[in-house]
Amino acid sequence: DTGVSQDPRHKITKRGQNVTFRCDPISEHNRLYWYRQTLGQGPEFLTYFQNEAQLEKSRLLSDRFSAERPKGSFSTLEIQRTEQGDSAMYLCASSQSTGATDTQYFGPGTRLTVL
Amino acid sequence: AQKVTQAQTEISVVEKEDVTLDCVYETRDTTYYLFWYKQPPSGELVFLIRRNSFDEQNEISGRYSWNFQKSTSSFNFTITASQVVDSAVYFCALLGSYNTDKLIFGTGTRLQVFP
């Protein structure tokens, strides 16, 4: 059973550039989540999808951030006009909605460094 | 408001020692779920256990055990006979049952097991 995959694993960019990350969930999972983790902190929720619908967005997700899941499979997270404060690990997770609370399984993350 | 507190920032032990990682949570929900995840140096969050608020029975899985006490809002994690491979950051997380699907994480406890 293939786990959650993320690409790229590392990204270094200059301030002001746009970056895009991709997440491929576990194949039968219909829910997909994005979290951000800064050094020494726990992950913080950004947004989540059920199939292709984006159901919740955190206030952390500024106008420069946009996430999509066009066909209900993989998802992309784009950050426009990156700032140094965007440097963090971006984690993707997926789960299978069964009507009860599901367990979220995480990918390896994309570490973003903004110079 | 929901909150998870992991007061121990870092713990160091010698191999074969037992170690307990503390987790205290706050929630107004009557139904909620608690999780522990392990984050090794590779960065991927590995799911360890999920417990719902109605099930206060303690659980043991090999060298791992969990002690859930609603009276003190705690969900502590014990590793018996620790091994070097247990070295990682461990996160406790809370998920409320009402109208939310986001995990609230603590700040994590870094466990270092020395040979």
Side-chain angles (χ1 to χ4, degrees), chain A residues 31 33 35 37 101 104, chain B residues 33 37 39 50 91 101 103:
Chain A
R31 287 188 173 179
Y33 310 79
Y35 289 81
Q37 185 180 18
T101 295
Q104 297 176 29
Chain B
Y33 302 83
Y37 286 87
Q39 189 173 43
R50 160 185 153 174
F91 290 95
D101 210 36
L103 288 166

Side-chain angles (χ1 to χ4, degrees), chain B residues 6-105:
Chain B
Q6 295 180 257
Q8 304 152 307
T9 305
E10 188 163 341
I11 300 175
S12 295
V13 298
V14 177
E15 224 175 2
K16 298 184 183 177
E17 283 186 35
D18 299 347
V19 58
T20 295
L21 310 181
D22 297 334
C23 172
V24 173
Y25 62 91
E26 296 174 31
T27 181
R28 293 180 182 172
D29 290 341
T30 54
T31 302
Y32 51 89
Y33 302 83
L34 296 163
F35 299 79
W36 276 95
Y37 286 87
K38 174 182 179 180
Q39 189 173 43
S42 60
E44 182 170 348
L45 280 166
V46 178
F47 166 72
L48 296 178
I49 190 171
R50 160 185 153 174
R51 179 55 51 124
N52 74 50
S53 52
F54 294 120
D55 183 2
E56 289 193 70
Q57 196 169 19
N58 291 330
E59 182 156 340
I60 297 174
S61 176
R63 296 183 298 105
Y64 295 170
S65 62
W66 290 270
N67 182 4
F68 177 31
Q69 291 194 338
K70 284 179 78 171
S71 59
T72 56
S73 298
S74 64
F75 186 42
N76 296 337
F77 173 30
T78 297
I79 302 174
T80 302
S82 58
Q83 300 176 1
V84 173
V85 293
D86 296 327
S87 297
V89 181
Y90 291 86
F91 290 95
C92 180
L94 167 69
L95 195 150
S97 61
Y98 180 68
N99 200 30
T100 179
D101 210 36
K102 59 187 177 192
L103 288 166
I104 306 297
F105 285 86

Side-chain angles (χ1 to χ4, degrees), chain A residues 29-110:
Chain A
H29 285 186
N30 61 350
R31 287 188 173 179
L32 187 148
Y33 310 79
W34 286 99
Y35 289 81
R36 181 171 71 184
Q37 185 180 18
T38 53
L39 205 60
Q41 300 298 314
E44 294 175 292
F45 171 81
L46 292 178
T47 188
Y48 94 94
F49 295 83
Q50 178 154 317
N51 300 314
E52 63 274 9
Q54 189 171 17
L55 296 187
E56 187 174 351
K57 292 198 293 186
S58 162
R59 282 171 288 183
L60 290 175
L61 215 62
S62 76
D63 291 344
R64 297 184 297 106
F65 288 70
S66 62
E68 293 183 344
R69 195 183 182 198
K71 297 181 180 178
S73 56
F74 73 91
S75 175
T76 57
L77 177 68
E78 181 183 16
I79 308 175
Q80 296 183 325
R81 305 180 304 281
T82 53
E83 302 173 355
Q84 288 185 326
D86 298 331
S87 295
M89 175 80 90
Y90 290 84
L91 294 162
C92 176
S94 70
S95 70
Q96 177 60 33
S97 172
T98 59
T101 295
D102 329 302
T103 295
Q104 297 176 29
Y105 295 91
F106 284 80
T110 295

